[in-house]
Amino acid sequence: MAAAGMALAWAAAPGIARAADAPPLRIAMTADIRSTEPGVNRDANSDMVALHIVEGLVAFGEHAEIKPLLAKSYTIGDDGKTYTFTLRDGVLFQNGAPLTAQDVVWSWNYFMNPKTAWRCRGDFDGSGAAKVTSIEAPDAHTVVYRLDKPYGLFLASLARPDCAGSGVVHRDSLNADGSWNKPIGTGPFMLKEWKRGQYISLARNPHYANQDGKLDGFTGSKRPLVDEVRFMIVPDDATAKAALQRGDIDIIQDLSYTDVKPMQAVQGVKVASSPVMSLTGLLMQTRDPLLSNVKLRQAIVHAIDNAQLVAAVGDGLMQPSTSMVPLISSYYDKAQRETWKYDPALAQKLVQESGYKGQEIAIIATKRYPEAYTSAVIIQAMLQAVGIHTRLEVTEWATQLDRYNSGKYQMMTFPYSARLDPSLNYEMMSGNKDKQPRKVWDDPKALALIESSSTITDTAQRQAQFDELHKLFLEDAPMMPLFNGLDVGAFRETVKGYTPWALKRARAWEVTRNP
């Protein structure tokens, strides 16, 4: 990486010279990035910056569906093991070099080298679900990946944001000795300056080859409409909010729920939100002597008025959802809207039929995640109303996580981070409890369906499997999903085009800022 505070040599390329004449678009980040190497020594902030600079063959659309990006199309072989990508015409790297299939192969081999320590290498080297046995460039516009077995999540794995979308970099991103220097990608912005602890400055890419269409996740139209973007390091929330109100920053890209109404009252500031892929739910230990009884678990889910709970927890911003498939997912359809009816009389009947004798059941929660803690408080009151005696056990997050991983709990409210495919949503809470005690659901039929959904690529077949999984899930009630999270952004009214979205990462493309 270039020395801190030093502008990169090509930052003054033709087409961005006027950056000094216009104020930058300033986006607040809670912490500095870890590196500029995509998917290496990274965190969420590093990913957010990298995805403005590099692009991969495919990317997640607005509803987390896989769509082409550097590829204009792709085909999957009949064996399910061969993926052929055709590159878009006219794509240039930020140094003006044309993108070729050979560049894709070179970039892939660089990141798959164990010495690079790329986060997603384990997804493709055979230590995970599948192995890329070869990558070939039969001509300048064609890239062929060959896998050792069918893997329906291959494209989703390529698109993972924490792997920078498997972004393709030019070989000049490296120093002469092979060490990392700076990212040279094909994205709408390019690295201009990294002033450690203060800001990361990106300049408009004058060579950007935009796709037609509209804003669509990490793909679609991605025009760089400002000359400079600055990701400002503002660790303190109060400082960020004050800076936004003064006009010293333009966007807070991760506003807390409790700050929404106060910010909506600030003149010159707007607030917007979108459902995301994260999930908070009530977990139930199906191997517990009491909760192994499905009638008691059914009594619990029928005793909870989830609409009322979510209205209270989310201050009217969120929608309730009891599906493992997120609301924003393209796989969320009529079947996923089916839910347990709030019915206290039925809950009381099921309590009696279960043989429950008033034993105390502990609900674990942590104040580290306020929405999960508040949910536990409300659930305790609702269960008490139908005769289920509970005790709220408030712990530190580390303690709760240990209990979760060991399976040593009766019930707990728990926040799951985002997974970007329904198979992964089900997989995160399902599995063999003897081998992985943290797993919540171990129904053999469900596990077989989850494994199958991870293998096939046909959308209609996968939808049918997710629909069947949801039906089984409602019957067995191993946990109760409560709500998906929100991406809430606050921005100056001079900012046009900024929108929060499902993957909860700021996008500076298609955004303008008036002086």
Side-chain angles (χ1 to χ4, degrees):
M1 175 61 206
M6 293 182 61
L8 302 181
W10 41 269
I16 62 169
R18 63 184 181 278
D21 301 328
L25 179 71
R26 299 155 301 177
I27 302 173
M29 287 200 316
T30 55
D32 206 346
I33 62 174
R34 296 175 63 90
S35 79
T36 65
E37 194 168 4
V40 178
N41 186 23
R42 42 71 54 198
D43 58 11
N45 287 334
S46 307
D47 300 339
M48 183 166 59
V49 172
L51 287 162
H52 284 76
I53 301 172
V54 301
E55 298 176 316
L57 295 171
V58 293
F60 286 105
E62 203 75 12
H63 297 280
E65 66 275 55
I66 298 296
K67 295 186 176 183
L69 183 49
L70 291 180
K72 67 180 178 182
S73 63
Y74 59 84
T75 59
I76 304 173
D78 292 339
D79 60 0
K81 299 188 294 184
T82 304
Y83 289 74
T84 302
F85 299 87
T86 302
L87 299 183
R88 288 164 46 208
D89 297 322
V91 177
L92 302 178
F93 284 103
Q94 289 149 357
N95 60 1
L99 171 72
T100 69
Q102 289 77 15
D103 293 311
V104 178
V105 172
W106 179 89
S107 187
W108 179 262
N109 289 334
Y110 170 77
F111 285 110
M112 287 298 291
N113 185 330
K115 293 181 180 179
T116 303
W118 185 45
R119 176 176 176 83
C120 284
R121 180 174 177 270
D123 282 15
F124 306 109
D125 68 355
S127 59
K131 180 179 182 178
V132 174
T133 58
S134 68
I135 177 174
E136 305 157 11
D139 59 58
H141 285 83
T142 307
V143 180
V144 181
Y145 283 84
R146 302 188 192 279
L147 281 61
D148 64 340
K149 58 186 177 183
Y151 182 40
L153 298 180
F154 175 65
L155 296 175
S157 297
L158 284 182
R160 280 175 54 176
D162 56 336
C163 311
S166 304
V168 178
V169 296
H170 191 272
R171 61 197 71 199
D172 286 352
S173 300
L174 306 186
N175 294 307
D177 63 0
S179 62
W180 182 257
N181 181 20
K182 60 181 180 288
I184 302 176
T186 62
F189 294 94
M190 53 192 188
L191 186 63
K192 179 181 180 182
E193 182 181 20
W194 179 12
K195 199 160 187 177
R196 294 176 187 266
Q198 296 186 41
Y199 61 80
I200 303 96
S201 174
L202 307 183
R204 178 204 300 263
N205 173 13
H207 304 294
Y208 189 63
N210 192 48
Q211 297 189 85
D212 293 330
K214 61 182 181 179
L215 185 71
D216 190 3
F218 282 134
T219 182
S221 185
K222 298 171 63 178
R223 296 174 298 167
L225 300 180
V226 294
D227 291 324
E228 182 185 359
V229 177
R230 283 193 183 183
F231 290 94
M232 310 292 295
I233 314 305
V234 190
D236 181 67
D237 286 347
T239 302
K241 289 182 289 185
L244 182 70
Q245 294 179 56
R246 289 194 307 267
D248 292 338
I249 60 173
D250 302 301
I251 298 170
I252 295 177
Q253 54 90 25
D254 190 13
L255 190 71
S256 69
Y257 300 167
T258 55
D259 287 328
V260 170
K261 287 187 176 179
M263 275 296 172
Q264 287 174 331
V266 175
Q267 186 174 3
V269 171
K270 294 186 176 181
V271 178
S273 64
S274 170
V276 297
M277 313 293 277
S278 60
L279 167 71
T280 295
L282 174 68
L283 313 189
M284 291 181 272
Q285 178 52 268
T286 60
R287 290 190 174 181
D288 177 77
L290 292 175
L291 293 168
S292 61
N293 188 318
V294 68
K295 285 196 173 183
L296 183 56
R297 299 199 303 271
Q298 284 286 350
I300 289 168
V301 296
H302 284 292
I304 297 172
D305 185 345
N306 199 37
Q308 180 183 346
L309 181 151
V310 173
V313 170
D315 206 13
L317 297 170
M318 297 186 298
Q319 301 177 54
S321 176
T322 54
S323 171
M324 291 305 301
V325 179
L327 279 166
I328 200 71
S329 171
S330 58
Y331 286 101
Y332 189 94
D333 70 356
K334 181 179 178 181
Q336 279 65 44
R337 286 190 287 272
E338 293 294 323
T339 186
W340 301 285
K341 181 182 178 182
Y342 170 56
D343 189 338
L346 176 59
Q348 289 175 324
K349 178 175 181 291
L350 288 166
V351 166
Q352 293 177 348
E353 292 177 356
S354 73
Y356 173 73
K357 303 298 183 184
Q359 300 96 321
E360 183 180 73
I361 300 174
I363 306 175
I364 297 175
T366 177
K367 292 184 179 180
R368 165 79 174 270
Y369 295 98
E371 293 81 19
Y373 169 74
T374 304
S375 296
V377 173
I378 295 171
I379 287 169
Q380 182 184 32
M382 291 178 175
L383 296 185
Q384 191 71 36
V386 298
I388 299 175
H389 181 44
T390 61
R391 170 175 53 87
L392 188 59
E393 185 177 335
V394 182
T395 69
E396 296 295 327
W397 170 239
T399 301
Q400 179 171 357
L401 197 57
D402 286 343
R403 299 279 292 274
Y404 164 76
N405 285 324
S406 66
K408 294 178 180 178
Y409 63 89
Q410 290 180 289
M411 294 196 294
M412 67 166 63
T413 51
F414 191 81
Y416 284 105
S417 57
R419 269 61 169 181
L420 302 179
D421 184 273
S423 295
L424 300 177
N425 282 81
Y426 276 107
E427 188 276 334
M428 72 184 177
M429 51 77 68
S430 305
N432 187 326
K433 291 192 178 192
D434 293 326
K435 296 180 179 179
Q436 297 176 294
R438 73 178 185 277
K439 298 298 187 178
V440 179
W441 197 24
D442 58 358
D443 177 77
K445 187 175 180 180
L447 297 183
L449 279 169
I450 295 166
E451 183 177 0
S452 176
S453 72
S454 301
T455 302
I456 61 176
T457 57
D458 182 81
T459 301
Q461 291 181 33
R462 300 190 81 216
Q463 183 70 68
Q465 292 186 331
F466 297 139
D467 293 352
E468 187 174 355
L469 272 166
H470 185 65
K471 183 179 179 181
L472 288 172
F473 186 79
L474 293 179
E475 292 172 355
D476 205 24
M479 66 173 280
M480 183 176 184
L482 301 170
F483 51 84
N484 300 123
L486 284 177
D487 182 14
V488 184
F491 47 92
R492 301 288 302 175
E493 63 181 7
T494 52
V495 173
K496 308 297 181 184
Y498 180 77
T499 56
W501 73 299
L503 268 63
K504 204 170 185 177
R505 286 171 173 84
R507 298 170 294 182
W509 53 84
E510 297 294 329
V511 177
T512 60
R513 178 192 183 279
N514 297 326

